[in-house]
Amino acid sequence: SSDLDTAMGDESLPPEELLSVEDQHETSEAGSKSSDDMMSQDSVDGIELVEEAKADEDGWAKMFIWSDTETVVARFDKVMMVTLQAITEGKILLTTHGLYFRQTGNVINVMTKETDQKEKQGDYHDQRWRLSRLTEVHGRRFMLRAQAIELFFSDSHELFLNFSDGARDRDRFYAKIRNSCQVPMLWSPKSLNPRVVFKKSKLSNLWKKGIISNFEYLMQINKMAGRTFNDITQYPVFPWVLADYTSESIDLSDSRVYRDLTKPVGALNESRLAGLIERYNDLVAFGFSEKEKFLYGSHYSSPGVVLHYLIRQEPFTTMAIELQSGRFDCPDRLFFDIAGCWRSCNTSTSDVKELVPELFTCPEVFVNTNGFPLGQTQDERSIENVALPPWAKGSAHEFVRIHRLALESDYVSEHLNHWIDLVFGYKQRGAEAEAAHNVFHYLSYEGAVDLDKITDEVDRNATESHIQNFGQTPSQLLTKEAHPSKYPGHARWSPLIHNEEVTEHLRYHTPSNQVGGKKKGTVKGAAVSIHVLSDFVIVVYANMSVGTYKFSTSRSGSKSPFSFKLDKHKGFCRKELSSSRNAIKRGSAAPSEMESNKSHLSVGSHSFGITIGGEARESIRRKAQQSRLTSAKDSLSTAELHASIVSCGYWDDTVKVHSVDGLKLTCSDTGGHRGPVRCLALGDDGALMVTGGNDATCRVWVVDHPDMAVALSDGYVKTALGEALDREKQLICCHILWGHVAPITCVSLSSDLDVVVSGSLDGAVCVHTVRRGTYVRTIRPLNRTNAINAARKITLHGTGDFCVAMEDHTLHSYTVNDVHLASTDAGEALNDMLITSFGSVLVTGGELGWIVCRSVRDLLVLSVLDLSRQGPIRCLSTTPDDLNPTPQYLFVGSDDGTVTIVDEDPQSAERSETVDFNGRN
């Protein structure tokens, strides 16, 4: 049996309160009521009796390991599990701890509508999802009927269920989950109504202030409006944002290169629109009622549209072949030219499609990496890869990079609300839609037809076929008011280095009265790690002491844009256990290999991390989405009073946790590592941590979040290694990551991407998933010699790009899909590096004492700041994104112990003490 485990939850809700909310579900099918409140107490009692009678039928679920306290909650006999490629008929057993699914009927191919003979009835494939991993639940439609639900789990699994008996079963299932099951991580709203969920989310406020990106906001809106990656008929929809696909270069500050976001695609060409309006006005004469009239016979999002764009990557290739009865469509109709596709969307009366999110994130969709025989067009043009605009310079990665920058541009930010009004808002339906020329076929709208009332089988099949194949309009999130606009650029937050041009206007400040510095009588060693909190900056020095500095912005009446003052300075307890040369007691013997900071055993930025704890961070994230930002920021400041420093590089081979306040040791654990723990990295969520050891393994830990630790591991299972998981432990190791054959030297992870990249002493880079601990691939950066070339530093960004610095001073940039972007000679040994918030600029610091800004895509130098008077640069850090609207700064730790702070010159004046680095490439 397959164990597809699950996740977690939040406070319970009386069934009648939950269902009274769902009674407001205005998007239910016509004539249907979302209806647990219609159930009498007698019927509920009857259901309970039936459940007891069926208790002996649950033996199949007992094949899984159950918790000692796990009991049956409810059974649902007519359920469909919907995935991208198939619909499986089955039944569900819901228990206090898990959700069990057994196939009882056919497995229907989504594209061919045929029964899969390999999955015929009787060949049961039982599955389980652990409810300890459940994080979100959203109401969904299936065939335009609001009787489905989608569950999201902390280990990145998703589950789409359609309840064949209608909304009543769906609502009862959700009520049981919230009231009778153990779901500690569930935090989504109690309502399944998309409009209620959107209204309560407060995401619009975060977007308006620039706290979340346009891409992230569109993804969240799609999610709340019922769009899903599990149903090809309701795939997420994104807008065309550019209109120039023919120029040699593109200027994203020029409004003329953008598409008009106030109009639907079908209304962009006025001459075409005039013809469509004429046809629209004549439809009554051809027997169409006012309700059935439409401007556009096709839709901006449908299965055919999705497969058109994604045909070069599986499983969409297989689905496209199935749609065309076992072969590829005519080459002339496939997606092979982005400019031609845009031209068709502006001229053809049957082509008004928008885009899918992959065109902003995934270069692979433009490249035939699998070598499929797509053929040639009638004019003998090869369509292996998609022809890109000249400004993309023939690179799919460059196209996606610019396309994403265009999506986040000022123009799109200021006009995106108009497109949201058309697709998700008040211009989606009714008089406003007609005035905006935004009227599609009536069968694409929710509530337009009640399939249960169609008695003629031919008519019913035709209606179902139209709904499945010709597009469905998302749930309407705003019905009366317009979506608010985003604040203008100067009024919203943006990261310090939000584009490549900013690097030319960076300046630095070295505050006085620091612990470090060459003029100090007591040498504390290099500043090896810096961590920025709301009101404090934590600096760790090589002698294992910690300086806490009060930090605040003070723009008025001061020459400096900030205040940076030492608050206290104290050493770690038991710091003599550290492998840092500066921390060893005078006269103690030390191995020769740790005599300098070049040693892999020396401490550095890779040895420390700071967190307020995963549970506290998760709570603050929820508040940020459900209340005003100011309260969330206040909560963050309060939580930081209990922050902890996580560190490695000790002779007792442990990972240790110290409180920031007092530096008291609160936890020490090996996590099963055999030998020294060389490096660690904490995720942005504050809960996930990955360590790399001398034993050639990485370990995934959960920090101070027992619910997540239970979710990511078999939390209630006793094994040969010992008792069940101890929820009181601050550090819990959940996964071992295999793949390396040499000691780990560097590691970096992205919680959002759910990916960790790690480098080893033999130069190999391994890619794993974090929450499931799955090996993905090994990448071996180019080696100029046959000598062993260790990976020295590695940094990963949420876009999927990462950079790795090697011991031979070479620097490489890759994607996690093993696409090599660029390589160069850094000209120095790099001690730390990071990729800035928008993912386009790499900042490095090394032995030369220079801050070097490079473009991630080609590693060409953009600018340099000379800090060599403080010695080699040992660490880099920026103000975390989640501290906005606080301005972002770059903090630099040097070998003499000083901290330098970098910001943008508001007057765009010349940078202080720069050097020309143009010749180094």
Side-chain angles (χ1 to χ4, degrees):
S1 296
S2 174
D3 188 348
L4 296 186
D5 312 326
T6 10
M8 321 163 127
D10 101 328
E11 77 278 1
S12 62
L13 175 72
E16 55 271 14
E17 180 181 347
L18 170 70
L19 296 170
S20 66
V21 171
E22 284 313 294
D23 289 342
Q24 302 171 12
H25 202 309
E26 300 172 15
T27 56
S28 296
E29 59 196 309
S32 175
K33 295 182 179 179
S34 181
S35 55
D36 263 3
D37 61 333
M38 297 172 62
M39 297 175 61
S40 66
Q41 186 59 45
D42 290 340
S43 63
V44 173
D45 294 340
I47 291 174
E48 298 293 341
L49 292 174
V50 172
E51 289 177 352
E52 291 179 9
K54 292 184 176 180
D56 58 346
E57 299 179 9
D58 302 334
W60 61 274
K62 293 288 186 178
M63 298 300 293
F64 296 91
I65 299 175
W66 281 35
S67 167
D68 293 340
T69 59
E70 187 169 359
T71 59
V72 174
V73 172
R75 300 173 182 85
F76 300 86
D77 293 331
K78 292 184 179 181
V79 181
M80 294 179 176
M81 181 172 65
V82 181
T83 64
L84 197 64
Q85 293 181 273
I87 298 172
T88 306
E89 299 171 342
K91 64 181 180 180
I92 280 179
L93 176 67
L94 181 65
T95 71
T96 52
H97 291 69
L99 189 159
Y100 300 80
F101 179 86
R102 161 161 277 207
Q103 174 192 340
T104 59
N106 295 320
V107 177
I108 303 170
N109 186 294
V110 168
M111 304 313 301
T112 65
K113 307 301 184 292
E114 298 175 352
T115 300
D116 191 335
Q117 295 301 316
K118 296 180 182 179
E119 305 286 351
K120 60 184 178 181
Q121 184 175 354
D123 294 343
Y124 298 122
H125 295 276
D126 304 332
Q127 295 174 300
R128 174 178 66 176
W129 293 262
R130 288 195 178 94
L131 294 180
S132 62
R133 298 177 179 175
L134 184 64
T135 57
E136 293 184 65
V137 178
H138 288 273
R140 292 289 182 255
R141 303 175 314 189
F142 185 76
M143 297 292 292
L144 293 182
R145 293 183 286 192
Q147 60 184 36
I149 200 167
E150 189 167 23
L151 296 85
F152 297 84
F153 301 96
S154 63
D155 61 353
S156 301
H157 277 115
E158 300 167 1
L159 177 62
F160 189 114
L161 299 173
N162 173 57
F163 292 81
S164 301
D165 283 342
R168 184 174 182 174
D169 256 13
R170 190 273 306 264
D171 293 342
R172 186 169 72 91
F173 172 81
Y174 187 42
K176 292 289 186 182
I177 283 183
R178 294 198 73 101
N179 292 280
S180 304
C181 299
Q182 296 187 18
V183 283
M185 291 186 70
L186 181 62
W187 67 275
S188 57
K190 300 168 186 176
S191 174
L192 297 179
N193 186 335
R195 293 175 197 163
V196 175
V197 173
F198 177 73
K199 184 177 181 179
K200 290 186 175 182
S201 72
K202 305 299 182 184
L203 281 171
S204 296
N205 292 333
L206 303 183
W207 173 74
K208 287 191 299 181
K209 297 175 181 178
I211 295 170
I212 60 175
S213 67
N214 293 343
F215 180 87
E216 184 178 357
Y217 188 52
L218 286 175
M219 287 299 298
Q220 291 296 328
I221 282 185
N222 271 279
K223 188 180 196 178
M224 289 183 283
R227 312 305 280 191
T228 170
F229 291 102
N230 284 313
D231 185 355
I232 190 71
T233 69
Q234 300 183 85
Y235 208 77
V237 55
F238 267 59
W240 286 94
V241 293
L242 290 173
D244 183 356
Y245 298 96
T246 58
S247 299
E248 291 294 327
S249 61
I250 190 166
D251 180 6
L252 296 182
S253 64
D254 186 351
S255 61
R256 293 174 296 180
V257 304
Y258 294 97
R259 165 257 181 106
D260 185 351
L261 290 165
T262 65
K263 300 177 181 179
V265 168
L268 293 176
N269 184 328
E270 293 187 2
S271 60
R272 176 182 63 175
L273 178 62
L276 292 172
I277 292 175
E278 182 179 355
R279 185 186 67 179
Y280 175 79
N281 293 329
D282 292 339
L283 286 178
V284 175
F286 290 95
F288 287 82
S289 66
E290 286 295 328
K291 172 187 173 182
E292 296 172 338
K293 289 171 59 178
F294 58 87
L295 267 175
Y296 314 112
S298 62
H299 203 266
Y300 51 76
S301 178
S302 67
V305 168
V306 176
L307 299 179
H308 180 76
Y309 288 126
L310 305 181
I311 190 171
R312 288 169 177 78
Q313 297 298 323
E314 289 287 13
F316 304 99
T317 307
T318 296
M319 296 175 72
I321 292 172
E322 291 171 342
L323 183 65
Q324 297 297 327
S325 303
R327 63 175 62 191
F328 285 109
D329 196 3
C330 171
D332 292 82
R333 291 202 295 263
L334 298 182
F335 178 47
F336 62 88
D337 184 352
I338 190 72
C341 184
W342 170 248
R343 187 165 51 251
S344 173
C345 290
N346 275 267
T347 56
S348 172
T349 58
S350 60
D351 189 358
V352 293
K353 59 180 173 286
E354 294 279 10
L355 301 181
V356 292
E358 285 83 353
L359 270 65
F360 297 89
T361 60
C362 190
E364 287 77 12
V365 301
F366 299 98
V367 183
N368 189 9
T369 54
N370 296 306
F372 294 123
L374 301 178
Q376 294 181 330
T377 61
Q378 294 183 19
D379 57 1
E380 298 185 351
R381 178 180 178 180
S382 173
I383 61 169
E384 283 293 299
N385 302 324
V386 177
L388 300 171
W391 46 258
K393 310 304 179 187
S395 167
H397 189 276
E398 180 69 356
F399 174 82
V400 168
R401 184 188 73 85
I402 295 176
H403 204 206
R404 181 69 172 269
L405 288 175
L407 180 64
E408 305 298 339
S409 66
D410 286 342
Y411 179 88
V412 173
S413 295
E414 293 165 7
H415 296 84
L416 186 59
N417 58 298
H418 299 298
W419 184 83
I420 293 174
D421 285 334
L422 293 168
V423 178
F424 304 101
Y426 80 112
K427 291 184 179 181
Q428 183 197 96
R429 307 179 70 168
E432 293 290 347
E434 188 171 356
H437 306 302
N438 192 38
V439 182
F440 295 86
H441 195 283
Y442 78 101
L443 286 179
S444 72
Y445 295 102
E446 189 172 18
V449 63
D450 186 351
L451 291 173
D452 294 330
K453 292 184 178 180
I454 302 178
T455 56
D456 185 89
E457 185 175 355
V458 174
D459 288 345
R460 183 186 176 98
N461 290 338
T463 302
E464 289 182 347
S465 178
H466 191 286
I467 294 172
Q468 289 174 332
N469 296 301
F470 291 92
Q472 299 179 30
T473 302
S475 294
Q476 192 175 19
L477 300 180
L478 292 167
T479 58
K480 297 179 180 179
E481 70 278 9
H483 189 284
S485 60
K486 200 170 189 178
Y487 294 155
H490 64 84
R492 62 178 185 264
W493 182 89
S494 64
L496 172 62
I497 303 177
H498 51 273
N499 58 49
E500 295 181 358
E501 289 71 25
V502 172
T503 60
E504 300 178 1
H505 309 302
L506 298 179
R507 61 179 182 177
Y508 67 83
H509 316 263
T510 304
S512 58
N513 300 321
Q514 298 189 44
V515 171
K518 296 179 179 178
K519 295 182 180 180
K520 300 292 182 181
T522 304
V523 178
K524 303 297 181 183
V528 295
S529 187
I530 300 175
H531 309 279
V532 186
L533 303 178
S534 297
D535 304 310
F536 294 93
V537 175
I538 309 298
V539 183
V540 182
Y541 297 94
N543 71 338
M544 297 299 287
S545 65
V546 177
T548 303
Y549 296 85
K550 289 184 177 180
F551 181 79
S552 63
T553 57
S554 53
R555 297 177 178 176
S556 59
S558 174
K559 294 182 180 180
S560 175
F562 52 79
S563 171
F564 188 81
K565 296 181 180 180
L566 179 65
D567 181 53
K568 53 189 173 183
H569 177 251
K570 189 175 182 179
F572 282 100
C573 62
R574 302 297 304 278
K575 66 180 182 179
E576 66 275 6
L577 289 176
S578 172
S579 61
S580 171
R581 186 70 178 85
N582 298 71
I584 294 179
K585 291 183 178 179
R586 187 173 300 177
S588 300
S592 58
E593 64 266 27
M594 60 170 290
E595 286 298 318
S596 74
N597 67 307
K598 296 181 181 180
S599 167
H600 292 294
L601 296 179
S602 65
V603 299
S605 59
H606 57 275
S607 308
F608 302 92
I610 196 165
T611 179
I612 62 173
E615 199 163 31
R617 175 71 69 178
E618 177 70 10
S619 175
I620 292 169
R621 183 177 72 88
R622 297 178 188 180
K623 289 181 180 179
Q625 294 191 14
Q626 298 172 359
S627 61
R628 295 184 180 274
L629 177 65
T630 52
S631 63
K633 189 175 186 299
D634 292 341
S635 298
L636 183 59
S637 299
T638 303
E640 287 173 350
L641 298 175
H642 307 286
S644 300
I645 298 176
V646 187
S647 56
C648 65
Y650 296 97
W651 294 118
D652 61 354
D653 304 335
T654 61
V655 177
K656 298 184 186 296
V657 182
H658 294 83
S659 62
V660 170
D661 183 20
L663 294 181
K664 296 178 182 178
L665 180 65
T666 58
C667 184
S668 181
D669 201 325
T670 66
H673 275 296
R674 298 183 178 182
V677 182
R678 290 173 172 261
C679 53
L680 63 81
L682 276 162
D684 292 336
D685 62 357
L688 295 173
M689 179 179 71
V690 178
T691 56
N694 212 49
D695 57 0
T697 68
C698 292
R699 312 262 166 161
V700 177
W701 306 65
V702 173
V703 183
D704 202 14
H705 198 329
D707 289 333
M708 179 173 286
V710 171
L712 298 189
S713 59
D714 288 329
Y716 53 77
V717 177
K718 296 180 180 180
T719 70
L721 298 178
E723 296 296 315
L725 180 146
D726 182 0
R727 294 176 60 92
E728 300 302 318
K729 292 180 65 176
Q730 196 171 7
L731 289 177
I732 299 175
C733 184
C734 297
H735 299 305
I736 303 174
L737 307 183
W738 306 94
H740 288 284
V741 295
I744 311 300
T745 54
C746 52
V747 64
S748 181
L749 74 96
S750 169
S751 301
D752 291 339
L753 204 60
D754 192 33
V755 168
V756 56
V757 290
S758 52
S760 57
L761 205 57
D762 63 354
V765 174
C766 285
V767 182
H768 293 82
T769 64
V770 181
R771 291 172 176 85
R772 300 185 201 176
T774 305
Y775 170 81
V776 179
R777 61 173 53 87
T778 296
I779 299 172
R780 296 190 177 275
L782 302 174
N783 192 347
R784 297 183 298 186
T785 66
N786 293 325
I788 295 177
N789 188 22
R792 182 179 177 88
K793 289 290 176 182
I794 196 165
T795 182
L796 169 68
H797 191 264
T799 57
D801 298 337
F802 72 88
C803 295
V804 56
M806 312 299 287
E807 281 294 346
D808 66 355
H809 300 177
T810 56
L811 182 61
H812 310 274
S813 59
Y814 283 84
T815 73
V816 292
N817 289 330
D818 195 13
V819 176
H820 177 238
L821 302 179
S823 295
T824 191
D825 185 351
E828 61 174 330
L830 298 179
N831 295 323
D832 204 2
M833 57 186 185
L834 56 86
I835 299 176
T836 56
S837 298
F838 282 0
S840 60
V841 177
L842 172 71
V843 182
T844 64
E847 292 299 306
L848 293 179
W850 294 350
I851 301 172
V852 182
C853 296
R854 299 174 180 270
S855 169
V856 171
R857 69 182 187 278
D858 53 22
L859 296 179
L860 294 179
V861 174
L862 302 172
S863 69
V864 178
L865 284 176
D866 184 3
L867 303 183
S868 58
R869 75 170 92 188
Q870 278 95 34
I873 292 173
R874 297 293 298 278
C875 62
L876 301 168
S877 181
T878 59
T879 310
D881 291 357
D882 57 8
L883 289 185
N884 59 61
T886 301
Q888 189 173 65
Y889 296 91
L890 172 66
F891 295 81
V892 184
S894 297
D895 206 53
D896 67 351
T898 59
V899 175
T900 302
I901 304 174
V902 178
D903 70 347
E904 181 183 3
D905 187 346
Q907 304 300 324
S908 298
E910 292 186 1
R911 293 173 286 114
S912 54
E913 300 191 34
T914 62
V915 292
D916 185 0
F917 203 71
N918 293 331
R920 296 204 64 86
N921 285 307

